[in-house]
Amino acid sequence: MQRLVQLALDLFDPPPASAGATAPVSPPATPKSGPKVPLPRQGRSGGATENIAEAVPAAPVAPLVPTAPVADPPAARTPAMHTPGVPLPSLLSPAEFRHPQANREVLLGDAVVGYALTRARRRTIGFTVGADGLAVRAPSWVTLSAVDAALREKADWILRKLSEARERQQRMEGGRIVWAHGAVLPYLGEPLTVVLDPSHGFTGKGGALVSAAPASPPQEPGAAAPEGAAPTEARSLHIGLPHSASPAQIRDAVQAWLMRDARRHFTARLDHFAPLLGVRWASLRLSSAQTRWGSAKADGSIRLNWRLLHYRPAIIDYVVAHELAHLRVMDHSPRFWDTVATVVPDYAQLRSHLREEPAPLW
């Protein structure tokens, strides 16, 4: 029995530093990350474009001061590190988080974390937890063991953020829209049912929004309606397609309608907030970006993501006001946020909701 335990421990203990051949760490493709601190970037017109919120929120980069420079130890393969004090049974079936471009792994607590390591010209070790997992950027002179030590120092934070990112992705997958007759998607924060209606005039190219007559909430037979109960309104989008239409045809028809309605809604809100902020906007373009909700340039051009139509009007108003405020302040200084607050006082709560509640997957 003692020999069996010793063999099991040998499987998880790293080999001596002298074993294996030296191999440089190849930088992977630039990993996706979650939302970064928005910084202005120069646009073609000389203005600044910026990111106000990410579709896939993530933890910010956390820099750590590296250890003294020493050469990387030779290694044929980078093994998972055995964390002292972790019981053997938890090592036999650990949880696993793996970045798509992972080229290194480490054992943090009872979880194996495969991360994407990139060597960069910088003075500190930085890491980002995003939708894809953990990405690490480190100076070329920092050893692999020093990188792993830095990650183990922040293990609790990293594992918590990785778990949150995984749970968020699972929620998004659970809310994926199934394109068929009767599909339900959020529209201005309320459910909208897709109805395939061949009698509709715009076959496959649009739809008509239909609101049913207000109805009282469903009740048990014989039960009296609760006092003060507000009636509910069911809304449906009638698309001129037969019931034999493919999921792609249904999706494209719904998207075409949503994009037209988004332009109408966004234009009205831009016209509402621009005079209040003392600015003039010049043009509106709809965006299908996966990583940003809107942007603005100094020449007055505005870009807004049509998927914002999934959210309730107050959240859309925050994004519209945010972009218009950049026509006065092209950064995210306190003066900028004070400008936003003049027209959307509760912008912080709305911004938080936009970050935490993902739009449905299409």
Side-chain angles (χ1 to χ4, degrees):
M1 182 62 183
Q2 182 177 1
R3 178 169 179 77
L4 288 176
V5 172
Q6 184 62 46
L7 286 173
L9 289 172
D10 290 343
L11 289 174
F12 295 97
D13 282 333
S18 60
T22 304
V25 177
S26 300
T30 302
K32 293 181 181 178
S33 67
K36 305 177 180 66
V37 176
L39 294 175
R41 295 181 294 146
Q42 288 300 116
R44 293 183 179 178
S45 63
T49 60
E50 51 76 38
N51 177 10
I52 68 159
E54 301 289 345
V56 185
V61 173
L64 295 173
V65 178
T67 57
V70 293
D72 284 348
R77 178 184 181 276
T78 303
M81 302 299 293
H82 172 215
T83 303
V86 176
L88 181 60
S90 68
L91 296 176
L92 298 178
S93 57
E96 184 173 349
F97 300 93
R98 188 167 298 277
H99 194 285
Q101 284 86 42
N103 56 358
R104 173 87 178 159
E105 67 179 33
V106 64
L107 189 64
L108 301 181
D110 59 354
V112 174
V113 177
Y115 62 92
L117 174 64
T118 303
R119 295 295 189 174
R121 296 186 62 180
R122 53 182 296 145
R123 297 170 61 91
T124 60
I125 301 173
F127 46 90
T128 306
V129 177
D132 285 336
L134 176 63
V136 180
R137 291 171 60 83
S140 58
W141 47 266
V142 175
T143 65
L144 296 176
S145 59
V147 173
D148 287 343
L151 297 179
R152 287 195 295 272
E153 182 180 343
K154 294 290 186 178
D156 291 344
W157 183 88
I158 292 172
L159 292 178
R160 184 175 73 255
K161 294 302 180 182
L162 286 172
S163 296
E164 291 173 357
R166 176 171 289 180
E167 291 171 2
R168 175 184 168 81
Q169 187 64 28
Q170 290 172 347
R171 292 201 312 272
M172 292 177 65
E173 288 294 338
R176 183 182 291 274
I177 302 170
V178 179
W179 296 109
H181 176 73
V184 178
L185 62 150
Y187 168 72
L188 297 179
E190 299 292 338
L192 178 67
T193 302
V194 176
V195 176
L196 300 185
D197 182 3
S199 66
H200 184 65
F202 303 98
T203 304
K205 296 182 180 179
L209 184 65
V210 177
S211 296
S216 298
Q219 307 169 32
E220 292 295 331
E227 184 177 355
T232 59
E233 185 179 79
R235 289 186 294 184
S236 58
L237 179 63
H238 287 239
I239 300 295
L241 291 173
H243 284 242
S244 59
S246 69
Q249 289 175 313
I250 300 171
R251 179 200 62 210
D252 292 347
V254 172
Q255 180 176 340
W257 182 85
L258 282 176
M259 292 184 73
R260 283 197 299 274
D261 197 61
R263 180 173 292 279
R264 175 195 63 79
H265 187 93
F266 296 163
T267 299
R269 303 317 290 164
L270 286 167
D271 287 341
H272 171 78
F273 283 109
L276 299 178
L277 289 167
V279 298
R280 296 180 63 182
W281 63 280
S283 64
L284 168 65
R285 295 185 63 185
L286 297 182
S287 165
S288 297
Q290 298 294 325
T291 58
R292 66 178 62 180
W293 291 117
S295 62
K297 292 184 179 180
D299 63 0
S301 59
I302 303 292
R303 290 175 65 93
L304 294 171
N305 197 315
W306 62 266
R307 290 185 176 86
L308 282 167
L309 223 58
H310 288 309
Y311 294 91
R312 55 193 172 94
I315 293 177
I316 299 175
D317 281 354
Y318 156 66
V319 179
V320 170
H322 184 118
E323 299 309 333
L324 287 174
H326 276 304
L327 301 184
R328 288 180 56 180
V329 186
M330 277 293 182
D331 56 36
H332 287 93
S333 62
R335 188 165 71 93
F336 167 79
W337 293 112
D338 289 343
T339 302
V340 175
T342 61
V343 291
V344 184
D346 57 342
Y347 74 85
Q349 293 85 348
L350 297 171
R351 181 170 181 256
S352 176
H353 181 90
L354 187 61
R355 287 177 176 272
E356 295 171 2
E357 295 300 324
L361 293 178
W362 278 54

